[in-house]
Amino acid sequence: MAYRSRLAFLLSSSTRRLATMEAAGNHGVPSSCRRFSWWSSVQPAPRDPILGVTSAYLADTHPDKVNVGVGAYRNDQGKPVVLECVREAERRIGGQELMEYLPMGGSAKYCELSVGLAYGEDAQVLKDKKVASVQALSGTGAVRLFADFIKRFRPESEAYLPMPTWSNHHNIFRDANVNQHTYRYYLASTRGLDFEGLKEDLKKAPNNSVILLHACAHNPTGVDPTPEQWKALSKLFKEKEHFPLFDMAYQGFASGDTQRDNQAIRIFLEDGHQLACAQSFAKSMGLYGQRIGCLSVVCDDAAQATVVKSQLEYIARPMYSSPPVHGSLLVATILSDSDLKTLWFKEVKDMADRIIGMRTALRKNLEDLGSKQNWEHITNQIGMFCYSGLTPEQVDRMTQEFHIYMTKNGRISMAGVTSGNVKYLANAIHEVTKA
Amino acid sequence: MESNSSAASRRLQTLNTHLRPASSSPSTASSSSSVLSFLPTAAQQNSAFQHLQQAPDDPILGVTIAYNKDQSPVKLNLGVGAYRTEEGKPYVLRVVREAEERLISDRSRNKEYLPITGIPTFNKLSAKLILGEDSPAIRERRVCTAQCLSGTGSLRVGAEFLAKHYSQKTIYIPTPTWGNHTKVFSLGGLQVKNYRYYDPRTRGLDFEGMLQDLRSAPSGVVVLLHACAHNPTGVDPTPGQWEGIRQVIRSKNMLPFFDSAYQGFASGSLDVDAHAVRLFVTDGGECLVAQSFAKNMGLYGERVGALSLVCSSESVATRADSQLKLVIRPMYSNPPIHGASIVATVLGDRNLYQEWTVELKAMADRIIRMRHLLYEALRARGTPGNWEHIIKQIGMFTFTGLSKEQVNFMTREYHVYMTSDGRISMAGLSSKTVPHLADAIHAAVTKKAGQ
């Protein structure tokens, strides 16, 4: 029916067009092409396991619903927060921005400040200008750039990801066509680090593999190696000539101290490793939607750093040409102003402290309820997430019976826990886990 | 641990030399190797990226880099296509500043992650802008739209989607085209082929060549079409020619992929510049459209764009939308909030929208005026050759027809910067600088061989 009416519309609206068609000898070519669809065979895609949780939560009308799914910080009222240092930075740049294209590698000033934060201002590699850095689309974009880079320049090196890891890591390496494997990381029986398994797997991996490491606040488990364990790993990496790729999405957000959260990186740098770091300011500056991150690669020398940077830009150009300017201005404004920087340090520590406080409260509530389970891991783990140990079935019960939303792997976003809902949450966990 | 030990031990020896006390009294360590020795964690190996070569300069962005280095007071940047005012300054639209102010002062706004496909109102308004208020495709809910990173990002996401889901993984692009197109599509997973487009003899459209190449291409391939203001040539098909192109494309069941980077910026009218896209959508067929708000909203660096898939049915559009998310998530998770919020504010407010159309027309008119000024200036100098294409071509760029050597000459002698294909950005000209450019062109064209 629609076909006919469209044909009629076209015929009546221009006889000249019809004449042209006939003149061109288009016998029987319909002016409408509804008969042919190119992608009727496209299947609906599976929902993203993490972001799908929030959509389900939003659709729920229950008054006690709790969202401990996606990893975005909430204050004790359960509301998103825009940091004061960010608001001030925005006021300062408001009306000033020229909106011109950034270079393909983004703002150089921003990159310099970013890597200074990641590596420590006194890092020798920075003084020697050995670090190639480009502004990236938050952590995701930084990891993706590096994956594409590895594919192009070290195709024989395969990637090793911890088990478990942020689910999108697997997608990124897959779409970059980099072969990926996993190494043991989380030990369910202790809800801690499987250090022996980790070392075994990295020893078994071929030399010169690319190893993805979470610099701090491992996502989703919250389980981090100790400094001693990091040192041992650094030694192992030397023996195997492995390449460390640090994903640092929570600097400052984990312990409250930016120069403690980057310890692992500083240990590896001191030991002379040439590493890469994918940084994100999404959580630590609350700039989630701005997509502001940085990819840095430590090179032999300044000349090589220039070369590597040029190749990273060459990958960015056919992906998005150049990164968005607004977020880089915000971060650069904050990091280059000592008052704003001090304010940021305070605000990020406040966020980290609130989360640590919620961990303590959740554990205490569970223990007070008389739970027979061991909940030490809630306070042993660090960062935004707690790997509760809940099974998928228990998670389902949490959602169906208590309207509490989390990812199927039992990961709880502590940022979503408030003094207002921690008892309710503890109660629900107790209900589904008591024997 | 023995690998690369010779390089490492060389380094250690050098270090040793520097660390030995300056005085002539022999140190207790007479052999250099005992001052320092290998620790298991000492750096040994060379970089994993030793073998890398420097990447070639991007031909377009490289022009600005070279221009910035030049100290000449008369230097002229006609490289990158970013609009400049009569005073040669970047221009932030009044409506953009107004929208920005509203966003900043709204304390209820936050910086949370956007959905993977971006701001829903932005998507709806963008689709409406290119497809038209009364588009049947929108009415029938057959359009899925994803906010992407400007035109480049929209093209890349579209390319990866097609490489994953479309039966024909080949795209035909015009010769010439924007320098970045080939890489965007090939890295997105498509094979890239060309169809004739620009005729250097007429400095206009090679219409017959284009149709011939499309007719002899395999059925079902993807065809890249510049919606208006073809980059770099400024040569667009007439409405009659668009209809001819449409017929060939539809008769071969080819899939049109529109790159719309200059809507409103070319003719000054948003509707006129959308004519080609709407022609194809009206016939009921499917297509992709990549939109950029870099030029027409002056939001270059904020990376604002949208990819729309016009599908045959609502259910297909819904499924396609879910698949777009799978392409986007491993690339950058979700798009940046700032620029798209500005666009959504402008498009969604009646008064701001009106004001925008006025500012847009003013920019387009200034460019058209520059075209006429340059044409007149060359005529006044009696520069040999036919320069009518300067006023016939449309949009930000003029394909001058100058050779690489002539371009180099103009850069060397007159400090005029442009891409080596002879493309000049009219937006970079002002009434003050037109005479200098005309002089440069005149000199390049009339200089004797070997000078």
Side-chain angles (χ1 to χ4, degrees):
Chain A
M1 182 179 66
Y3 175 97
R4 237 178 287 129
S5 63
R6 188 166 291 111
L7 191 53
F9 163 75
L10 283 169
L11 284 173
S12 63
S13 71
S14 173
T15 49
R16 196 190 58 211
R17 200 179 285 147
L18 190 56
T20 313
M21 276 175 68
E22 286 173 353
N26 283 323
H27 311 288
V29 172
S31 54
S32 161
C33 303
R34 287 289 288 273
R35 63 194 162 96
F36 187 80
S37 170
W38 285 282
W39 40 72
S40 315
S41 59
V42 173
Q43 294 305 307
R47 285 170 153 255
D48 183 278
I50 301 172
L51 304 176
V53 168
T54 296
S55 344
Y57 165 83
L58 289 170
D60 187 334
T61 51
H62 195 275
D64 295 331
K65 64 177 181 174
V66 176
N67 186 3
V68 283
V70 93
Y73 182 78
R74 295 286 176 268
N75 60 18
D76 202 46
Q77 288 70 48
K79 297 270 177 283
V81 172
V82 177
L83 301 185
E84 274 313 311
C85 62
V86 168
R87 287 216 189 273
E88 175 57 29
E90 210 154 36
R91 268 192 293 271
R92 290 187 195 182
I93 67 179
Q96 309 295 318
E97 233 180 288
L98 287 179
M99 320 282 186
E100 292 285 282
Y101 288 123
L102 280 179
M104 296 177 282
S107 155
K109 177 177 177 192
Y110 158 80
C111 287
E112 207 186 304
L113 292 163
S114 196
V115 296
L117 183 70
Y119 294 8
E121 304 290 344
D122 54 352
Q124 193 58 43
V125 290
L126 290 179
K127 295 191 181 132
D128 296 341
K129 300 201 187 305
K130 288 182 179 175
V131 181
S133 60
V134 291
Q135 180 183 339
L137 295 163
S138 209
T140 308
V143 177
R144 176 58 180 266
L145 279 183
F146 192 73
D148 280 1
F149 182 70
I150 281 291
K151 177 67 184 176
R152 191 172 289 185
F153 295 107
R154 273 284 173 188
E156 66 280 8
S157 287
E158 306 196 336
Y160 284 74
L161 281 52
M163 169 103 83
T165 190
W166 180 48
S167 57
N168 203 26
H169 277 144
H170 294 293
N171 300 333
I172 294 172
F173 284 96
R174 180 205 63 219
D175 275 22
N177 291 308
V178 172
N179 287 335
Q180 55 178 292
H181 311 267
T182 55
Y183 60 87
R184 279 170 287 170
Y185 189 84
Y186 177 72
L187 193 55
S189 53
T190 60
R191 288 172 198 170
L193 184 65
D194 181 359
F195 195 46
E196 292 312 308
L198 194 168
K199 285 190 293 186
E200 252 180 66
D201 286 352
L202 292 191
K203 282 197 183 113
K204 265 203 305 246
N207 285 16
N208 299 122
S209 295
V210 173
I211 315 292
L212 177 75
L213 301 162
H214 296 226
C216 65
H218 180 272
N219 176 1
T221 69
V223 169
D224 285 349
T226 62
E228 291 65 42
Q229 288 172 326
W230 278 122
K231 289 195 173 103
L233 282 178
S234 172
K235 183 174 162 198
L236 194 163
F237 271 60
K238 281 296 171 187
E239 288 161 11
K240 296 286 300 179
E241 295 190 310
H242 282 332
F243 190 93
L245 165 63
F246 281 97
D247 184 345
M248 184 155 67
Y250 299 98
Q251 188 183 10
F253 204 92
S255 70
D257 178 352
T258 61
Q259 294 311 302
R260 205 171 120 188
D261 289 343
N262 66 353
Q263 232 181 140
I265 293 178
R266 286 193 288 113
I267 286 169
F268 272 65
L269 282 177
E270 264 157 42
D271 287 349
H273 288 280
Q274 288 178 320
L275 49 84
C277 176
Q279 259 175 298
S280 166
F281 286 94
K283 287 82 170 170
S284 53
M285 276 206 195
L287 293 173
Y288 308 92
Q290 306 287 166
R291 318 312 294 131
I292 180 71
C294 182
L295 171 69
S296 51
V297 183
V298 178
C299 304
D300 276 348
D301 51 39
Q304 195 186 82
T306 308
V307 167
V308 167
K309 180 169 170 139
S310 75
Q311 292 292 354
L312 291 172
E313 290 171 334
Y314 207 56
I315 293 173
R317 175 68 161 152
M319 211 187 274
Y320 49 83
S321 276
S322 56
V325 58
H326 193 76
S328 72
L329 283 180
L330 291 175
V331 176
T333 303
I334 291 168
L335 292 182
S336 60
D337 177 298
S338 65
D339 289 339
L340 284 182
K341 193 170 175 185
T342 303
L343 176 57
W344 173 53
F345 282 152
K346 175 186 177 301
E347 290 188 281
V348 77
K349 184 172 191 313
D350 286 346
M351 290 195 286
D353 284 348
R354 193 185 89 68
I355 285 177
I356 292 168
M358 287 300 103
R359 288 182 177 277
T360 307
L362 180 60
R363 178 178 161 186
K364 183 169 191 312
N365 271 283
L366 282 164
E367 287 165 355
D368 287 350
L369 282 167
S371 172
K372 302 276 193 302
Q373 315 280 340
N374 182 349
W375 299 107
E376 272 177 20
H377 54 287
I378 295 181
T379 47
N380 285 342
Q381 292 166 6
I382 190 170
M384 197 177 277
F385 302 111
C386 166
Y387 226 39
S388 60
L390 293 178
T391 64
E393 295 71 34
Q394 289 169 334
V395 169
D396 278 342
R397 283 190 64 196
M398 295 283 285
T399 306
Q400 273 140 36
E401 292 171 35
F402 297 94
H403 304 271
I404 294 175
Y405 292 80
M406 64 179 74
T407 45
K408 269 289 203 313
N409 54 10
R411 184 191 85 164
I412 295 176
S413 169
M414 296 308 297
V417 181
T418 67
S419 49
N421 64 27
V422 66
K423 271 191 162 54
Y424 180 72
L425 178 62
N427 203 51
I429 294 176
H430 181 56
E431 283 303 309
V432 306
T433 55
K434 62 188 185 189
Chain B
M1 264 179 63
E2 293 314 304
S3 62
N4 288 319
S5 55
S6 60
S9 56
R10 252 195 347 263
R11 279 195 211 116
L12 281 179
Q13 297 238 359
T14 312
L15 261 177
N16 268 322
T17 319
H18 290 295
L19 287 176
R20 240 184 268 136
S23 71
S24 55
S25 58
S27 60
T28 49
S30 50
S31 89
S32 52
S33 60
S34 62
V35 173
L36 287 174
S37 58
F38 278 122
L39 293 175
T41 53
Q44 293 188 74
Q45 68 258 38
N46 281 329
S47 167
F49 308 112
Q50 192 70 34
H51 55 294
L52 260 64
Q53 301 294 311
Q54 176 89 10
D57 276 338
D58 182 278
I60 302 172
L61 304 177
V63 170
T64 297
I65 293 173
Y67 166 86
N68 285 337
K69 290 200 182 113
D70 190 328
Q71 305 288 331
S72 163
V74 298
K75 64 178 181 175
L76 194 51
N77 187 0
L78 301 178
V80 143
Y83 182 80
R84 293 286 177 267
T85 61
E86 255 294 302
E87 293 74 36
K89 299 260 180 296
Y91 179 62
V92 178
L93 276 66
R94 276 190 325 268
V95 290
V96 165
R97 285 275 183 247
E98 168 69 34
E100 250 198 328
E101 243 187 73
R102 291 188 194 182
L103 293 173
I104 292 184
S105 45
D106 183 357
R107 277 200 73 110
S108 72
R109 287 184 59 81
N110 58 48
K111 295 186 178 302
E112 295 294 285
Y113 289 124
L114 289 181
I116 298 176
T117 48
I119 304 175
T121 42
F122 167 83
N123 290 339
K124 283 196 173 50
L125 291 166
S126 297
K128 216 171 63 163
L129 184 70
I130 186 67
L131 301 179
E133 282 268 0
D134 50 359
S135 172
I138 294 182
R139 231 184 10 251
E140 292 159 19
R141 302 153 75 93
R142 298 190 277 115
V143 183
C144 74
T145 306
Q147 176 193 337
C148 294
L149 278 94
S150 209
T152 308
S154 305
L155 292 166
R156 178 62 178 264
V157 169
E160 297 217 357
F161 173 85
L162 292 171
K164 251 180 152 169
H165 298 290
Y166 186 54
S167 53
Q168 280 275 32
K169 301 179 201 307
T170 304
I171 184 165
Y172 277 69
I173 68 179
T175 304
T177 191
W178 178 47
N180 202 20
H181 272 144
T182 303
K183 289 230 179 46
V184 169
F185 293 120
S186 60
L187 288 180
L190 296 176
Q191 210 198 16
V192 179
K193 293 207 149 67
N194 290 77
Y195 60 85
R196 277 171 287 170
Y197 189 82
Y198 177 71
D199 187 345
R201 292 172 303 122
T202 61
R203 291 179 193 168
L205 180 65
D206 180 0
F207 187 52
E208 282 317 312
M210 177 176 180
L211 292 188
Q212 258 178 52
D213 286 352
L214 290 180
R215 277 195 199 102
S216 56
S219 290
V221 294
V222 186
V223 181
L224 178 74
L225 300 165
H226 294 226
C228 70
H230 179 274
N231 177 0
T233 68
V235 168
D236 285 350
T238 62
Q241 289 172 328
W242 271 121
E243 172 57 21
I245 294 165
R246 185 194 68 79
Q247 284 171 26
V248 170
I249 284 182
R250 293 308 195 196
S251 70
K252 300 219 44 164
N253 283 325
M254 289 166 163
L255 179 58
F257 195 159
F258 285 97
D259 185 349
S260 174
Y262 300 97
Q263 188 188 3
F265 207 92
S267 69
S269 158
L270 290 159
D271 290 325
V272 167
D273 289 347
H275 170 80
V277 174
R278 294 179 191 178
L279 183 70
F280 276 74
V281 172
T282 308
D283 75 11
E286 295 179 318
C287 67
L288 282 81
V289 187
Q291 267 173 296
S292 165
F293 288 95
K295 287 83 172 171
N296 60 11
M297 283 245 185
L299 288 172
Y300 310 91
E302 296 296 354
R303 320 309 295 128
V304 196
L307 171 71
S308 285
L309 270 64
V310 179
C311 308
S312 62
S313 72
E314 183 177 354
S315 104
V316 172
T318 308
R319 281 178 276 140
D321 184 77
S322 71
Q323 291 291 350
L324 282 179
K325 289 177 178 146
L326 292 195
V327 169
I328 292 170
R329 177 74 160 142
M331 219 188 267
Y332 52 84
S333 278
N334 38 69
I337 189 173
H338 191 71
S341 303
I342 292 173
V343 173
T345 305
V346 173
L347 295 184
D349 177 299
R350 219 191 175 114
N351 293 331
L352 287 181
Y353 183 91
Q354 259 312 109
E355 250 198 79
W356 174 50
T357 61
V358 171
E359 285 191 272
L360 197 44
K361 186 163 192 319
M363 290 197 286
D365 284 350
R366 195 184 89 68
I367 286 176
I368 292 169
R369 206 164 60 243
M370 292 304 107
R371 290 183 175 280
H372 285 274
L373 282 182
L374 180 60
Y375 175 67
E376 295 304 326
L378 289 170
R379 284 229 315 205
R381 282 160 182 69
T383 309
N386 180 349
W387 298 99
E388 273 179 16
H389 54 285
I390 293 180
I391 46 179
K392 282 202 190 126
Q393 292 167 5
I394 191 170
M396 199 178 274
F397 302 110
T398 291
F399 223 38
T400 54
L402 294 165
S403 71
K404 209 167 174 176
E405 294 70 35
Q406 289 168 327
V407 168
N408 282 342
F409 171 85
M410 287 170 62
T411 305
R412 246 187 6 257
E413 306 295 328
Y414 286 80
H415 306 274
V416 173
Y417 289 82
M418 65 179 80
T419 47
S420 57
D421 57 3
R423 182 193 86 163
I424 53 176
S425 168
M426 303 309 289
L429 279 175
S430 73
S431 50
K432 290 190 199 66
T433 53
V434 161
H436 181 69
L437 176 60
D439 288 341
I441 294 176
H442 187 85
V445 167
T446 56
K447 73 179 169 79
K448 305 219 175 28
Q451 276 185 347

